Amino acid sequence: MSRVRRRSPRPLHSRRSAWTTPTVIACSPLPLHLRCPATCPNRWHRSRRPRPRPRSSRPRPGCCTPPPRPPGCWRCGSRGCVGWRDGARSRARSWASTCGSPTRTCVPSSNGDPDPPEGTARPGTKTTTRIYGAGWPEHISVALQRIWSVTVRPPSSTTADGHTEEEEYVMGWVEKRGDGFRVRYRLPDGSLFTENGFDTREEAENRIRDVESDQRRGKFVDPRLAQTRFGDWVREWVQAHDVSAVTWATYDSHLRNHILPRFADPELGDITRMTIKVWAKQLRRELSERSVDDVVNLLSRIMGEAVDEELIGANPCRKLRLATGDQPERPHATAAQIAGLADRVSPGNAALIVTAAYTGMRWGELTGLQWTRVDTANREIRIDGKDGALHEVGGKLTLGPPKTPASVRTVHLPRFLADLLDDHHDRHPTARFVFTGGDGALHRRSNFRRRVWLPALRGDTATGRPRINPDMHFHDLRHTHKTWLIEDGVPEVLQHKRIGHKFHGVMGVYSHVTRPMIDAMLAGLQYRWEQTREQTGSTNP
């Protein structure tokens, strides 16, 4: 019996240059009694003679049906990389073989199939995207289309191994990790970065889309920069931030007592909105709503600077909308209550309280006021821009500028107040400062509140002195003066000017203070004082 010698099947691919695109001939399914062309990639169809199809077997795939495994490495798509060769040798789950770093290992190899996968762009060509999965089940096709996508830029230089330095892998993938998922993607320098902590696959896929969108729009922030510790970033921020000594004392207190104890160790990228909201909720149990708002605003300022330096992509404090509640309305006093407080303290402290209520000056502007800035003849007080206010920083009293540039102003006095200050100067003719303590030293806010202000508010039932609004602060005398100006119908532009606030908006640009406005305001304050003296019969001061 003669032996029929079969011709060995034609190789799937010819050995051509590593980056030569193969010629693909798409053939239609042919009848089984006809032979396929020699270029058909299906070995069974290239047999020398037709074979009858067994009736009990399943139909074999047609010419246009994809092979039963993906045509290349699962990560880079090349059939010449190490990962593809290893998977081909094992003959099992070659689509899941890992090839290592695409920037170094996933390159054409002479030991494997030298042809690049179908649809892959050669270096120097336009960016293309290869999509696999046609003819596969739907869930596998969608997964392949999400994973196998590589973008290649035209090379600007070539390394020793022939790999270009300008390749950028923008597509990431999702991996199951324990009970959750993680996202892995390539950074512009080719390194692999991993983000953990996604509860669902949908969240992880959304993160991949965000990364791709940021890269396309040129707003991608290297996530490795977000690994900077918050405490380290605060030290850099402090060195570059320039504020007044009083403001920095407030910032330093917030940082030492509230912010750094909670956020010194975490990385910038780990600080989330929910973390800040939980922390603010805990602060609200210890501090007032105003203090909580100040501390959170400082944290937001620091994180905003980190966004400007491109350390993080977004400020977690932005639009936080903490439910701090409405601020309670501050109390104000009547003219009779001011006269009652003046009767309960010494003449020097009485002059301080009355001047605060009838001028609206701040505590620091009053305690730092020098006699050289008081002109009783023209009934004016001038607040200087260099040393017009007294500041207490770290327990030390220093003269410095007032709170804002708008605070540098001239305060006009009613006639009774100018006479009151003349009498006060006669009692202390050699003093440098207008208002001092009993021993001639400068006032400290805490001492004045404890020794003078609170006892005057509490009164003394034994001597027939009732309590006067015990919740009122010394700063509320500014609220009192503003309220009186509104009652007297003083124009708003003059109200802002007298209080030391900037009048914003169009009204602030086109409104101006005139002398008739000032005279009418002083007349109303003088009348208020005289009416109060007649009603109460007070003679002090």
Side-chain angles (χ1 to χ4, degrees):
M1 181 176 177
S2 62
R3 209 170 184 186
V4 179
R5 186 175 180 182
R6 291 182 178 274
R7 183 178 178 182
S8 59
R10 180 186 180 92
L12 281 175
H13 304 281
S14 61
R15 297 187 177 275
R16 287 167 292 186
S17 173
W19 285 102
T20 302
T21 305
T23 303
V24 179
I25 299 179
C27 54
S28 302
L30 300 175
L32 292 178
H33 65 280
L34 297 178
R35 290 182 301 180
C36 282
T39 56
C40 178
N42 196 313
R43 295 174 181 235
W44 184 80
H45 284 268
R46 287 204 312 270
S47 59
R48 296 289 296 173
R49 55 186 178 181
R51 297 179 182 178
R53 184 178 64 186
R55 295 182 179 179
S56 60
S57 63
R58 306 173 74 178
R60 292 183 178 273
C63 295
C64 296
T65 305
R69 64 183 179 187
C73 171
W74 75 282
R75 184 170 294 179
C76 72
S78 173
R79 284 176 288 186
C81 70
V82 178
W84 171 252
R85 294 200 307 272
D86 293 344
R89 290 195 189 101
S90 63
R91 301 288 185 179
R93 301 191 65 180
S94 60
W95 60 273
S97 301
T98 302
C99 64
S101 173
T103 60
R104 290 293 179 267
T105 309
C106 290
V107 294
S109 173
S110 59
N111 296 329
D113 186 359
D115 296 331
E118 181 179 344
T120 305
R122 293 190 297 271
T125 62
K126 296 182 179 180
T127 299
T128 59
T129 302
R130 42 189 167 78
I131 302 297
Y132 294 106
W136 291 70
E138 182 179 359
H139 65 283
I140 298 179
S141 176
V142 172
L144 295 179
Q145 292 178 11
R146 289 175 178 172
I147 293 177
W148 292 333
S149 179
V150 178
T151 301
V152 183
R153 291 179 179 177
S156 60
S157 60
T158 306
T159 58
D161 57 358
H163 191 72
T164 59
E165 295 181 353
E166 291 295 329
E167 293 186 3
E168 180 182 5
Y169 295 81
V170 298
M171 179 60 109
W173 62 92
V174 178
E175 295 180 357
K176 179 71 174 176
R177 193 72 171 178
D179 295 337
F181 298 87
R182 70 177 183 180
V183 170
R184 311 193 76 184
Y185 54 89
R186 294 284 167 183
L187 298 178
D189 60 358
S191 59
L192 181 64
F193 189 79
T194 304
E195 293 186 17
N196 301 306
F198 297 94
D199 296 332
T200 63
R201 180 177 292 274
E202 183 180 1
E203 294 178 0
E205 293 174 350
N206 290 337
R207 174 55 184 163
I208 293 178
R209 297 187 185 97
D210 293 341
V211 171
E212 294 175 351
S213 176
D214 293 341
Q215 288 181 336
R216 285 194 302 268
R217 293 182 291 115
K219 296 184 178 181
F220 179 74
V221 178
D222 192 337
R224 292 171 297 186
L225 298 176
Q227 296 176 351
T228 305
R229 292 176 61 252
F230 180 83
D232 298 337
W233 168 242
V234 168
R235 280 191 286 270
E236 296 183 18
W237 179 83
V238 167
Q239 295 176 358
H241 205 62
D242 186 17
V243 293
S244 64
V246 178
T247 303
W248 170 242
T250 303
Y251 287 176
D252 183 64
S253 176
H254 293 338
L255 289 172
R256 288 186 294 102
N257 299 323
H258 307 295
I259 298 178
L260 288 180
R262 174 61 181 85
F263 298 109
D265 295 330
E267 299 174 353
L268 291 174
D270 294 337
I271 302 177
T272 62
R273 293 173 60 87
M274 294 306 300
T275 303
I276 296 175
K277 294 188 72 173
V278 172
W279 167 69
K281 181 179 179 181
Q282 296 173 352
L283 286 181
R284 203 173 294 121
R285 301 172 183 172
E286 305 172 0
L287 306 176
S288 64
E289 299 292 344
R290 176 65 180 272
S291 299
V292 173
D293 189 59
D294 292 342
V295 174
V296 175
N297 285 340
L298 176 58
L299 177 62
S300 178
R301 182 188 297 269
I302 296 174
M303 298 300 289
E305 295 280 358
V307 175
D308 296 338
E309 290 296 321
E310 297 184 353
L311 299 180
I312 54 178
N315 186 354
C317 299
R318 184 173 178 267
K319 297 182 179 180
L320 198 57
R321 296 180 180 178
L322 294 175
T324 56
D326 296 333
Q327 297 293 335
E329 182 179 355
R330 295 305 309 164
H332 65 279
T334 63
Q337 290 175 333
I338 297 299
L341 289 175
D343 290 338
R344 300 178 183 185
V345 297
S346 63
N349 292 328
L352 174 60
I353 293 175
V354 172
T355 303
Y358 281 84
T359 62
M361 296 172 63
R362 298 181 177 90
W363 167 265
E365 297 168 351
L366 290 167
T367 56
L369 181 61
Q370 305 178 45
W371 281 113
T372 56
R373 286 26 178 317
V374 178
D375 186 0
T376 55
N378 294 321
R379 296 186 296 177
E380 293 178 350
I381 292 178
R382 182 171 56 88
I383 300 178
D384 190 74
K386 294 183 179 180
D387 57 353
L390 182 67
H391 304 288
E392 184 174 357
V393 180
K396 297 181 180 180
L397 297 174
T398 58
L399 289 174
K403 185 176 181 179
T404 62
S407 302
V408 181
R409 64 196 187 278
T410 299
V411 180
H412 300 275
L413 306 176
R415 185 178 64 255
F416 84 90
L417 189 54
D419 298 338
L420 177 64
L421 291 178
D422 279 335
D423 297 339
H424 180 62
H425 185 263
D426 294 339
R427 291 191 295 268
H428 307 281
T430 60
R432 174 188 175 186
F433 293 91
V434 178
F435 304 108
T436 58
D439 56 352
L442 295 174
H443 275 297
R444 291 181 181 270
R445 185 191 294 267
S446 58
N447 292 342
F448 180 85
R449 181 176 182 273
R450 185 178 68 256
R451 298 174 183 177
V452 179
W453 184 255
L454 291 181
L457 292 178
R458 287 194 299 263
D460 188 0
T461 57
T463 58
R465 292 181 175 180
R467 301 176 64 181
I468 300 177
N469 206 341
D471 296 331
M472 187 168 59
H473 301 163
F474 186 88
H475 185 77
D476 293 330
L477 297 181
R478 279 174 59 83
H479 294 251
T480 298
H481 186 70
K482 172 74 171 178
T483 303
W484 290 354
L485 296 181
I486 297 175
E487 290 178 350
D488 294 341
V490 176
E492 192 171 1
V493 62
L494 180 54
Q495 296 180 27
H496 283 74
K497 185 71 174 179
R498 187 169 180 82
I499 293 295
H501 289 168
K502 181 177 178 58
F503 193 15
H504 296 278
V506 177
M507 294 293 293
V509 175
Y510 291 96
S511 301
H512 305 279
V513 177
T514 62
R515 189 66 204 186
M517 294 182 187
I518 297 175
D519 293 339
M521 175 194 65
L522 297 179
L525 294 175
Q526 180 71 24
Y527 177 78
R528 186 182 296 273
W529 170 258
E530 294 174 353
Q531 288 292 108
T532 303
R533 294 292 294 268
E534 292 178 2
Q535 295 174 2
T536 60
S538 175
T539 59
N540 184 26

